[in-house]
Amino acid sequence: MANIKFIPPQQMGSVDNYSVRALRSGPLWLLIKDTGVLFTVLPYLPLLFVPLNPKAKDEKQQSASRFKSIRDNVIQALLCLLQLALSVLFIPALISLPGILFIAAASLSVLILRLIAWPTQGPRILYSADPPSTSPTANPHPHPHERWIFINGICTSSSGLQANIDRLSLLFGRQVLGVHNQSYGIFSDLLECLLQRCLQYNTMDVRVAFEVLKEHLIDDEVGKVVLVAHSQGGIIASMVVDALLTELPGITMGKLEIYTFGSAASHFNNPPSSVPRPQTTIIPHIEHYANEYDTVPRWGVLYAISNLLNNRYTGSVFVRAGASGHMFVEHYLDPIFPLRKPHGAKAAVNGVQRQANGQSRTNGTVDVINERVEEARSYLDAIVDLDETVPLKRCKSGPSKPLVQIKGRRDYGTAGQVMVSGYGTKEEDVVMAQQARGKTVKELSRLWLYLGGSSPEERRLQDANDRRFARDIASGRYAH
């Protein structure tokens, strides 16, 4: 059984929390601080690719993409070595070369790196193949009012993104749109991460992701937009959310759900909702998944959640204790949602059809859903190890030091003493943490409810229909 640490979501319990760190600190200071934190986690860098022999790969897909995978890995290794050499030579060149010559040499170096990386690039937007049907009459697009979008992380080629979204499509039974966060080597990607986190620099990847998400959110025919992000994709997602919150009404943003893996983001904004709904925040569901010894989340989500206590970082956090590795499929999807039978089970029981959400579902389709859940059983059935230290630290943290003294400023006091315009108290973090004690991942997570083409709404109906179906079988209604 997996060992999963659960960090409860930050409640909207502090009017003192700030959504973007740049509102409290200058960009240069943030750049220095984030670089310092990055250096502290560098000892974990070799664990990015460990374990080296991940299981549960689709051999057919692996064989078909072997050449591209080897090519992309060789290019990434070459880029890494060249960038490392250029980093060592940078200061001596800056000191010794005349200004014009230094600029020319730097420009030539950038051009060479881009030419080397060119074979790994591709379109900015890719689409997954349709998930395989479980019956000849199955609807290839059973969720026409949903849109699934994925943003990849560092060191990901175009073919790597295609493999990622194809895997997501197989797992969740939806077509997935991939926004390609292009890579020019690990050091270049890390530099871009620093610029995005500290300077709020909207790179081309951020601009494309913003346009894609906004396009789907404002579409009246779309009722739900699910955003999945990995690694640097978490930074891009957090920046896009910041921008969308300034442009779209809360009811439109309420269509969005976000799930990140190994996120490098330093904040995740989600203001309280003024519209009476079951949830208290504008974006109803945000979840973060991380490996304990993965370098990137130790710099991103895990560091921000545990150390930047007045920083807004919303969403539940599920941490695989003792686990390492940063690769999206090998180190996240395979251990959490293993795919042992990628084409699904096609068996039917007595040829009976069940009704879910007003649509007919064959038993073969239901079997695929149950099969996906069964494959993830060791993860989903794990009783979480509740991390109560983070909520307690949030509760005890005082307000941030004011940047200026304002006459008549209201004293918001320390933890648990203020409720202002939709905000609760910091004590709610501790209360929510206590409510999660003794629960399983299955009871706390939402993402798994989409496995096999199901959905949270359909699963509730399916569970009720399953109970009714079992009673009918027991009573002999379908006996032959």
Short mmCIF file of all heavy atoms in Angstrom, two decimals, residues 39-61:
data_model
loop_
_atom_site.label_atom_id
_atom_site.label_comp_id
_atom_site.label_asym_id
_atom_site.label_seq_id
_atom_site.Cartn_x
_atom_site.Cartn_y
_atom_site.Cartn_z
N PHE A 39 19.33 26.34 -5.32
CA PHE A 39 20.62 25.73 -5.02
C PHE A 39 20.53 24.76 -3.85
O PHE A 39 21.25 23.77 -3.79
CB PHE A 39 21.67 26.81 -4.74
CG PHE A 39 22.34 27.33 -5.98
CD1 PHE A 39 22.01 28.57 -6.50
CD2 PHE A 39 23.29 26.58 -6.65
CE1 PHE A 39 22.62 29.06 -7.64
CE2 PHE A 39 23.91 27.04 -7.80
CZ PHE A 39 23.57 28.29 -8.30
N THR A 40 19.63 25.02 -2.90
CA THR A 40 19.49 24.12 -1.75
C THR A 40 18.90 22.77 -2.13
O THR A 40 19.11 21.79 -1.42
CB THR A 40 18.63 24.75 -0.65
OG1 THR A 40 17.28 24.91 -1.13
CG2 THR A 40 19.18 26.09 -0.21
N VAL A 41 18.16 22.71 -3.25
CA VAL A 41 17.55 21.44 -3.65
C VAL A 41 18.34 20.74 -4.75
O VAL A 41 17.94 19.67 -5.21
CB VAL A 41 16.08 21.64 -4.10
CG1 VAL A 41 15.24 22.21 -2.98
CG2 VAL A 41 15.98 22.51 -5.34
N LEU A 42 19.45 21.35 -5.19
CA LEU A 42 20.25 20.73 -6.26
C LEU A 42 20.77 19.34 -5.90
O LEU A 42 20.95 18.52 -6.80
CB LEU A 42 21.41 21.64 -6.64
CG LEU A 42 21.05 22.88 -7.48
CD1 LEU A 42 22.30 23.67 -7.83
CD2 LEU A 42 20.30 22.48 -8.75
N PRO A 43 21.04 19.01 -4.60
CA PRO A 43 21.46 17.64 -4.29
C PRO A 43 20.44 16.58 -4.71
O PRO A 43 20.80 15.42 -4.90
CB PRO A 43 21.62 17.66 -2.76
CG PRO A 43 21.97 19.08 -2.44
CD PRO A 43 21.18 19.89 -3.42
N TYR A 44 19.18 16.99 -4.89
CA TYR A 44 18.15 16.05 -5.33
C TYR A 44 18.07 15.94 -6.85
O TYR A 44 17.27 15.16 -7.38
CB TYR A 44 16.77 16.46 -4.80
CG TYR A 44 16.67 16.46 -3.29
CD1 TYR A 44 16.86 17.63 -2.56
CD2 TYR A 44 16.38 15.29 -2.60
CE1 TYR A 44 16.77 17.63 -1.18
CE2 TYR A 44 16.29 15.29 -1.21
CZ TYR A 44 16.48 16.46 -0.52
OH TYR A 44 16.40 16.44 0.86
N LEU A 45 18.89 16.74 -7.56
CA LEU A 45 18.81 16.77 -9.02
C LEU A 45 19.01 15.40 -9.68
O LEU A 45 18.29 15.06 -10.62
CB LEU A 45 19.84 17.77 -9.57
CG LEU A 45 19.66 18.22 -11.02
CD1 LEU A 45 18.32 18.91 -11.20
CD2 LEU A 45 20.79 19.16 -11.44
N PRO A 46 19.97 14.55 -9.21
CA PRO A 46 20.11 13.23 -9.84
C PRO A 46 18.86 12.36 -9.71
O PRO A 46 18.68 11.42 -10.48
CB PRO A 46 21.29 12.61 -9.07
CG PRO A 46 22.05 13.77 -8.54
CD PRO A 46 21.03 14.81 -8.21
N LEU A 47 18.00 12.68 -8.73
CA LEU A 47 16.80 11.88 -8.52
C LEU A 47 15.67 12.24 -9.49
O LEU A 47 14.60 11.63 -9.44
CB LEU A 47 16.29 12.04 -7.08
CG LEU A 47 17.27 11.60 -5.98
CD1 LEU A 47 16.65 11.82 -4.61
CD2 LEU A 47 17.65 10.14 -6.15
N LEU A 48 15.91 13.23 -10.37
CA LEU A 48 14.89 13.58 -11.36
C LEU A 48 14.51 12.39 -12.23
O LEU A 48 13.36 12.26 -12.66
CB LEU A 48 15.40 14.71 -12.27
CG LEU A 48 15.39 16.13 -11.73
CD1 LEU A 48 16.04 17.07 -12.72
CD2 LEU A 48 13.96 16.59 -11.45
N PHE A 49 15.47 11.50 -12.50
CA PHE A 49 15.25 10.40 -13.43
C PHE A 49 15.25 9.03 -12.74
O PHE A 49 15.34 8.00 -13.39
CB PHE A 49 16.33 10.43 -14.52
CG PHE A 49 16.48 11.77 -15.17
CD1 PHE A 49 17.52 12.62 -14.82
CD2 PHE A 49 15.56 12.21 -16.11
CE1 PHE A 49 17.66 13.87 -15.41
CE2 PHE A 49 15.68 13.45 -16.70
CZ PHE A 49 16.74 14.29 -16.35
N VAL A 50 15.16 9.05 -11.41
CA VAL A 50 15.18 7.80 -10.63
C VAL A 50 13.78 7.57 -10.06
O VAL A 50 13.17 8.50 -9.52
CB VAL A 50 16.22 7.90 -9.49
CG1 VAL A 50 16.19 6.67 -8.61
CG2 VAL A 50 17.60 8.12 -10.07
N PRO A 51 13.24 6.34 -10.18
CA PRO A 51 13.88 5.10 -10.65
C PRO A 51 14.08 5.07 -12.17
O PRO A 51 13.29 5.64 -12.92
CB PRO A 51 12.89 4.02 -10.22
CG PRO A 51 11.57 4.71 -10.11
CD PRO A 51 11.88 6.10 -9.66
N LEU A 52 15.13 4.37 -12.58
CA LEU A 52 15.52 4.35 -13.99
C LEU A 52 14.74 3.33 -14.81
O LEU A 52 14.74 3.41 -16.03
CB LEU A 52 17.01 4.05 -14.11
CG LEU A 52 17.95 5.08 -13.48
CD1 LEU A 52 19.39 4.60 -13.54
CD2 LEU A 52 17.81 6.42 -14.17
N ASN A 53 14.11 2.38 -14.18
CA ASN A 53 13.39 1.32 -14.89
C ASN A 53 11.92 1.31 -14.49
O ASN A 53 11.46 0.40 -13.81
CB ASN A 53 14.02 -0.04 -14.59
CG ASN A 53 15.45 -0.13 -15.08
OD1 ASN A 53 15.73 0.20 -16.23
ND2 ASN A 53 16.35 -0.56 -14.21
N PRO A 54 11.18 2.33 -14.88
CA PRO A 54 9.77 2.38 -14.53
C PRO A 54 9.00 1.25 -15.18
O PRO A 54 9.35 0.77 -16.25
CB PRO A 54 9.31 3.75 -15.07
CG PRO A 54 10.29 4.06 -16.15
CD PRO A 54 11.59 3.47 -15.71
N LYS A 55 7.93 0.85 -14.51
CA LYS A 55 7.11 -0.27 -14.99
C LYS A 55 5.88 0.24 -15.74
O LYS A 55 5.64 1.43 -15.87
CB LYS A 55 6.68 -1.13 -13.82
CG LYS A 55 7.84 -1.70 -13.01
CD LYS A 55 7.33 -2.58 -11.88
CE LYS A 55 6.61 -1.76 -10.85
NZ LYS A 55 6.16 -2.57 -9.71
N ALA A 56 5.12 -0.72 -16.19
CA ALA A 56 3.79 -0.46 -16.76
C ALA A 56 3.83 0.45 -17.97
O ALA A 56 3.08 1.39 -18.10
CB ALA A 56 2.86 0.14 -15.71
N LYS A 57 4.71 0.20 -18.91
CA LYS A 57 4.74 0.95 -20.17
C LYS A 57 4.06 0.16 -21.27
O LYS A 57 4.14 -1.06 -21.31
CB LYS A 57 6.17 1.27 -20.57
CG LYS A 57 6.77 2.44 -19.81
CD LYS A 57 8.02 2.91 -20.51
CE LYS A 57 8.54 4.18 -19.89
NZ LYS A 57 9.70 4.70 -20.59
N ASP A 58 3.44 0.87 -22.18
CA ASP A 58 2.82 0.24 -23.33
C ASP A 58 3.93 -0.10 -24.34
O ASP A 58 4.49 0.77 -24.98
CB ASP A 58 1.79 1.20 -23.96
CG ASP A 58 1.07 0.55 -25.12
OD1 ASP A 58 1.37 -0.61 -25.46
OD2 ASP A 58 0.20 1.22 -25.68
N GLU A 59 4.25 -1.38 -24.47
CA GLU A 59 5.39 -1.78 -25.29
C GLU A 59 5.23 -1.39 -26.75
O GLU A 59 6.17 -1.04 -27.42
CB GLU A 59 5.58 -3.31 -25.18
CG GLU A 59 6.00 -3.77 -23.81
CD GLU A 59 7.35 -3.20 -23.39
OE1 GLU A 59 8.18 -2.95 -24.30
OE2 GLU A 59 7.58 -2.99 -22.20
N LYS A 60 3.99 -1.44 -27.24
CA LYS A 60 3.77 -1.09 -28.64
C LYS A 60 4.11 0.39 -28.88
O LYS A 60 4.81 0.74 -29.82
CB LYS A 60 2.31 -1.35 -29.02
CG LYS A 60 2.01 -1.06 -30.49
CD LYS A 60 0.57 -1.42 -30.80
CE LYS A 60 0.24 -1.12 -32.26
NZ LYS A 60 -1.15 -1.44 -32.58
N GLN A 61 3.62 1.25 -27.98
CA GLN A 61 3.91 2.66 -28.10
C GLN A 61 5.40 2.92 -27.88
O GLN A 61 6.01 3.74 -28.56
CB GLN A 61 3.09 3.45 -27.09
CG GLN A 61 3.29 4.95 -27.19
CD GLN A 61 2.45 5.69 -26.18
OE1 GLN A 61 1.75 5.10 -25.37
NE2 GLN A 61 2.51 7.01 -26.24
#
